[in-house]
Amino acid sequence: MPQPSTRLPIVFILVTLVLDAIGIGLILPVMPDLIRDIDGGTGLGQAAVWGGILSTVFAVMQFLCGPTVGSLSDRFGRRPVLLISLATMALDYVVMALAGSIWLLLAARVVGGVTASTQATASAFLADISKPEEKAARFGMVGASFGIGFVIGPLIGGFLGELGPRAPFWAAAGLATLNLIFGAMVLPETVTDRIRRPFEWRRANPLGAFRAIGRLPGIRPLLLLFFLYEFAMFIYPAIWAYFTQYRFGWSTGTVGISLAMFGIGVAIVQGGLIRIVLRVMGERIAVWYGLGYNFIAFLAIGLIGNGSVVLVLTPMIALGAVVTPALLGMMSKAADDNQQGELQGMVSSLRSVAMIASPLVMTQTFFLFSRPDAPLHLPGAPFLLASGVMVICALFFALRRAATADTGIRRRA
């Protein structure tokens, strides 16, 4: 259990991450209506195009600014960066609620993508206050917080959307403001002069951060593995609704229930079971287990033709969700204390690239193998592709172990 001095700050960090996810999920159900409300002549198809543009801009800004925000927190501290981000996020939701043009909405999404990089600073804060053996479990709490938020967010958004397309944005602004006040009261500063690192623009960008962090022994294969793993796991938001409707004839309600079951499963695994898994297996074996489990799960979903069986298996899929916290724990222990923000910013950027690339690849794969004239009719092809990615991840992990062992031999020599 956290010490009394850290309990409230940890609660604040987890609430911040839950609210980040809620804020994203909150606006998803009403975004088409908001776009059409702003531009009365826009049809649903054109609104979907703008929705895609807004989502892409949001992810691109997260990619570009993740290392910058992380490096700023290494220099100026976690507390000011987190509180300023929350204040900006609350203001951004207000702007979206009042937006009268699509261009103002686009500008708000640009700012929103920057402030959404708070996960990097929040994770760095947890790394600062955690012992090496505690890090992976606490990073699991980060994943659990997002899982909870993504389950709750769309439900609240759909309910508030009945009051009008702008109501969820006002709710998100209010929640962010309340959390800002809470953080100002309980959040201490964890960056001391001992670990404070000068801010350098050459390292405060995705490429520079990758070069700097990649110099740490054995960490570059872990970064590549993390990207590929996130790329594969984004198959669920990217293709699940299309795949299950086409393959099994699921209704929108069934799709929503299945995604909620998956989100709850991830929250349980990363918020609680991860501690048992790490205690029994350790981080390295946990990664091997997670990769193997996900390989089998993706293979099963891609090949099973019974929708009832897949629905029953959906929450069980989450039992493989131990890879991310275990990887983050390993990488955090490999980085110096003054690099935690930079590392988490790099992780945020890689996740954003996966968020951009995965929907493009997975949806195109689904289209190619489900169209009537496809040489091989295989609507589960995206999941088979994801199972193949798990094999590549395993190769990178084996490469990392070999590189680390080789470094140790050279040092002893």
Side-chain angles (χ1 to χ4, degrees):
M1 290 294 292
Q3 297 300 316
S5 59
T6 63
R7 187 174 291 115
L8 282 178
I10 289 176
V11 170
F12 164 75
I13 291 296
L14 297 181
V15 169
T16 297
L17 294 170
V18 169
L19 290 181
D20 277 355
I22 285 178
I24 296 171
L26 198 71
I27 65 178
L28 285 177
V30 297
M31 187 60 81
D33 290 338
L34 177 65
I35 294 172
R36 287 188 290 176
D37 184 62
I38 290 174
D39 186 353
T42 299
L44 185 60
Q46 187 64 26
V49 172
W50 272 112
I53 293 171
L54 293 172
S55 298
T56 301
V57 165
F58 184 87
V60 167
M61 293 309 299
Q62 274 191 301
F63 164 69
L64 294 175
C65 297
T68 305
V69 173
S71 292
L72 285 171
S73 76
D74 283 338
R75 169 63 181 87
F76 297 104
R78 317 298 184 210
R79 177 183 165 89
V81 171
L82 278 170
L83 295 182
I84 290 171
S85 294
L86 277 173
T88 307
M89 182 185 301
L91 182 61
D92 187 61
Y93 284 131
V94 171
V95 171
M96 293 182 74
L98 297 173
S101 74
I102 197 70
W103 301 109
L104 185 57
L105 197 61
L106 183 63
R109 286 289 77 190
V110 170
V111 175
V114 177
T115 58
S117 300
T118 49
Q119 184 181 354
T121 309
S123 297
F125 179 91
L126 290 178
D128 291 340
I129 65 172
S130 302
K131 298 175 183 177
E133 64 272 17
E134 296 175 329
K135 290 184 176 183
R138 286 187 173 169
F139 287 138
M141 294 165 65
V142 171
S145 299
F146 263 78
I148 293 170
F150 275 119
V151 172
I152 297 174
L155 296 176
I156 299 176
F159 174 75
L160 291 177
E162 297 296 324
L163 304 176
R166 298 175 188 267
F169 296 93
W170 289 114
L175 290 172
T177 301
L178 290 174
N179 196 42
L180 170 63
I181 296 170
F182 178 43
M185 295 170 58
V186 305
L187 189 67
E189 183 51 71
T190 57
V191 175
T192 63
D193 290 338
R194 182 183 67 83
I195 64 172
R196 196 180 306 277
R197 183 172 59 84
F199 181 82
E200 303 174 74
W201 278 111
R202 64 185 178 85
R203 293 174 63 165
N205 62 82
L207 183 59
F210 184 80
R211 287 174 176 168
I213 295 295
R215 295 191 187 101
L216 299 172
I219 206 168
R220 187 168 291 187
L222 293 183
L223 289 172
L224 295 173
L225 192 163
F226 176 83
F227 165 74
L228 289 171
Y229 181 79
E230 291 290 302
F231 171 87
M233 295 306 291
F234 271 116
I235 191 173
Y236 292 109
I239 205 70
W240 187 256
Y242 305 98
F243 167 73
T244 53
Q245 182 179 348
Y246 181 90
R247 186 75 179 272
F248 310 124
W250 284 5
S251 66
T252 302
T254 305
V255 172
I257 290 171
S258 67
L259 287 173
M261 290 166 59
F262 178 72
I264 292 169
V266 170
I268 292 172
V269 170
Q270 296 193 347
L273 292 181
I274 184 69
R275 296 176 183 273
I276 300 173
V277 171
L278 292 172
R279 187 164 58 246
V280 173
M281 297 184 179
E283 292 168 352
R284 186 175 63 83
I285 303 236
V287 172
W288 281 117
Y289 153 74
L291 294 177
Y293 189 96
N294 285 306
F295 169 78
I296 295 172
F298 285 135
L299 205 61
I301 294 171
L303 296 177
I304 290 176
N306 189 311
S308 298
V309 173
V310 171
L311 185 61
V312 171
L313 290 177
T314 299
M316 298 175 61
I317 296 169
L319 292 174
V322 300
V323 176
T324 297
L327 281 177
L328 291 177
M330 295 173 71
M331 289 190 285
S332 181
K333 286 191 285 190
D336 293 334
D337 290 341
N338 66 357
Q339 291 180 295
Q340 294 298 322
E342 182 179 39
L343 169 63
Q344 297 303 327
M346 185 69 254
V347 166
S348 177
S349 286
L350 289 175
R351 181 179 281 117
S352 298
V353 176
M355 192 185 304
I356 295 168
S358 184
L360 296 174
V361 174
M362 296 303 180
T363 53
Q364 285 297 314
T365 302
F366 175 73
F367 169 73
L368 290 174
F369 284 89
S370 62
R371 63 185 185 181
D373 60 341
L376 175 62
H377 187 260
L378 190 62
F383 291 95
L384 302 183
L385 173 61
S387 69
V389 173
M390 291 298 105
V391 175
I392 298 174
C393 286
L395 293 176
F396 273 117
F397 197 53
L399 175 65
R400 180 259 178 189
R401 187 180 182 190
T404 303
D406 183 61
T407 300
I409 292 173
R410 289 200 305 270
R411 285 178 176 173
R412 288 194 296 271

